[in-house]
Amino acid sequence: MILNDKIWKGLTGGGVRLPHALLFAGPPGVGKRELAEALAARLLCEAPRGAYETACGECPSCLMMANGQHPDYRVLQPEADSEVEGGEGVADGDKKKASRQIRIQQIRELEDFFHVGGHRGGARVCLIDPAEAMNPIVANSLLKILEEPSSSFYFIMISHRWRNLLPTLLSRSRRVMFGHPPVEESQRWLAEQKLDHTARWLPFFGHAPLALADAARSGRLKALETLVADLQRPGDPLALAVRWEGLVKADAALEMEELVVVVQKWLFDLGLSRVGAPPRYFDRQTLEPVAKKAALPALLRAQQQVGQLRAWANHPLNPKLFLEDLCVRALKPLNS
Ligand SMILES: [Zn+2]
């Protein structure tokens, strides 16, 4: 299945021709890139099926797409992102130097791609992810290409922060807004990825199913589950600090700040539960046994103190002391 079904149907419903520059805008982790890739495959497919359908998956073009070797398809993204996907095989030591920006050189290569005819006589597609990785100079050279009319060329830009883009870039592309997919759709998608057991974490991940799937596959979700299990059965804060130090140091590590944010969200939801409001990040069942025991004034104090600690989370002078401090403050209202 394709996430964001409604948007997909709007784009592939036929009738109106697709514009040559599309901008997929919306929060990260909701499936913009996946939909862009599916649309690119459909535009390049040599045996296109009817309205709403995905690419055939079997023609020579689809096979080349599946192998990541289609000559009429380009992906422009910062070098640093290509390496995450294992694209360029740069040695570990060089990763830090990899650019987080799309470089002007990448646009020049695109000009060549644009001016040389397509290899397979059909459409050509360029995906740009994310569009905000282009500085104004780079974006302006892209605009020059966008201004040259070409009937067979499609640009699909992805942006998590579209308001930061150049107005000229916005005005020359059709914006497609992505929100969070409906819960039921996300649940079905997670089930298809064999991740149905993770669905209760959707609210925690802001209903961004791709972000959740990413955490599940990298092992970070397991660390989060351990953390929440600890929060449900708070015991001795100092013993807990030792265990959490292990979570921060582990392979699929949580960043210290991430850990603090989980505690913050936990306390926030406990507060909501305490006043009878629906929780925002965790499910009621997970929270309720703890919420009953916590006194509201103590909870609010703990929220405030953990909020102050968050400012130090990225550079704690002494991680062990920092975690002890956090555990003592966060768990005090739960033990009272
Ligand atoms: Zn095909």
Side-chain angles (χ1 to χ4, degrees):
M1 69 172 281
I2 283 205
L3 259 179
N4 301 295
D5 188 55
K6 212 171 152 188
I7 295 174
W8 176 256
K9 285 183 172 153
L11 289 168
T12 61
V16 195
R17 249 188 89 93
L18 272 184
H20 291 292
L22 286 162
L23 174 66
F24 286 7
V30 296
K32 300 188 295 298
R33 172 72 179 250
E34 289 61 28
L35 202 84
E37 286 174 355
L39 186 63
R42 187 186 145 104
L43 287 166
L44 292 165
C45 178
E46 289 168 25
R49 304 187 287 186
Y52 309 145
E53 296 284 340
T54 51
C56 79
E58 290 162 2
C59 71
S61 173
C62 284
L63 295 178
M64 285 189 285
M65 277 301 266
N67 289 330
Q69 300 178 328
H70 201 298
D72 294 331
Y73 177 58
R74 287 283 186 287
V75 177
L76 249 66
Q77 59 189 6
E79 271 173 23
D81 292 343
S82 341
E83 281 143 29
V84 170
E85 288 157 23
E88 300 296 308
V90 175
D92 275 358
D94 292 339
K95 277 190 184 170
K96 284 196 193 87
K97 289 179 221 150
S99 176
R100 301 230 53 99
Q101 292 289 310
I102 291 172
R103 289 173 301 119
I104 192 85
Q105 183 58 29
Q106 288 171 278
I107 303 285
R108 295 211 179 103
E109 285 160 15
L110 192 66
E111 275 171 36
D112 297 339
F113 174 58
F114 183 83
H115 288 122
V116 176
H119 287 79
R120 300 196 58 88
R124 279 172 293 161
V125 183
C126 174
L127 198 150
I128 301 175
D129 181 19
E132 54 267 27
M134 295 185 286
N135 67 32
I137 296 170
V138 174
N140 271 315
S141 9
L142 175 72
L143 274 168
K144 287 200 191 97
I145 305 182
L146 287 182
E147 278 159 8
E148 291 184 44
S150 163
S151 56
S152 64
F153 214 103
Y154 294 93
F155 287 91
I156 309 174
M157 291 180 277
I158 292 171
S159 177
H160 316 304
R161 292 195 301 271
W162 62 273
R163 285 187 181 84
N164 296 354
L165 299 178
L166 285 187
T168 35
L169 206 56
L170 290 173
S171 67
R172 279 179 181 73
S173 51
R174 162 131 29 111
R175 192 155 72 236
V176 180
M177 290 304 295
F178 283 64
H180 305 294
V183 173
E184 187 268 340
E185 195 181 302
S186 295
Q187 286 169 339
R188 267 194 299 133
W189 181 83
L190 286 169
E192 204 181 80
Q193 314 291 312
K194 309 224 179 313
L195 294 171
D196 12 359
H197 60 285
T198 66
R200 73 187 175 100
W201 282 92
L202 271 171
F204 182 88
F205 281 89
H207 290 283
L210 276 295
L212 168 55
D214 187 45
R217 291 185 184 121
S218 70
R220 268 176 51 243
L221 191 65
K222 234 185 159 69
L224 288 170
E225 277 169 347
T226 308
L227 194 60
V228 169
D230 282 344
L231 286 167
Q232 280 180 302
R233 284 182 293 278
D236 171 29
L238 297 184
L240 199 60
V242 174
R243 272 219 301 289
W244 286 4
E245 206 184 351
L247 286 182
V248 177
K249 282 183 180 162
D251 274 349
L254 291 178
E255 301 284 331
M256 188 70 92
E257 188 176 8
E258 213 176 353
L259 189 145
V260 178
V261 170
V262 177
V263 175
Q264 258 185 325
K265 288 181 173 175
W266 179 258
L267 291 171
F268 182 77
D269 266 8
L270 284 180
L272 288 178
S273 287
R274 206 73 189 88
V275 298
R280 182 156 167 197
Y281 305 107
F282 300 94
D283 57 287
R284 219 180 265 273
Q285 276 172 309
T286 312
L287 289 160
E288 231 145 53
V290 195
K292 272 188 242 149
K293 288 186 248 165
L296 193 57
L299 263 177
L300 296 177
R301 239 183 346 264
Q303 279 178 13
Q304 195 188 9
Q305 289 181 320
V306 174
Q308 285 164 357
L309 275 175
R310 185 175 168 181
W312 303 98
N314 277 330
H315 308 283
L317 291 177
N318 179 331
K320 186 165 180 282
L321 286 179
F322 178 85
L323 282 168
E324 284 178 2
D325 209 11
L326 176 72
C327 289
V328 168
R329 286 167 200 250
L331 298 180
K332 204 168 175 198
L334 311 183
N335 286 331
S336 58

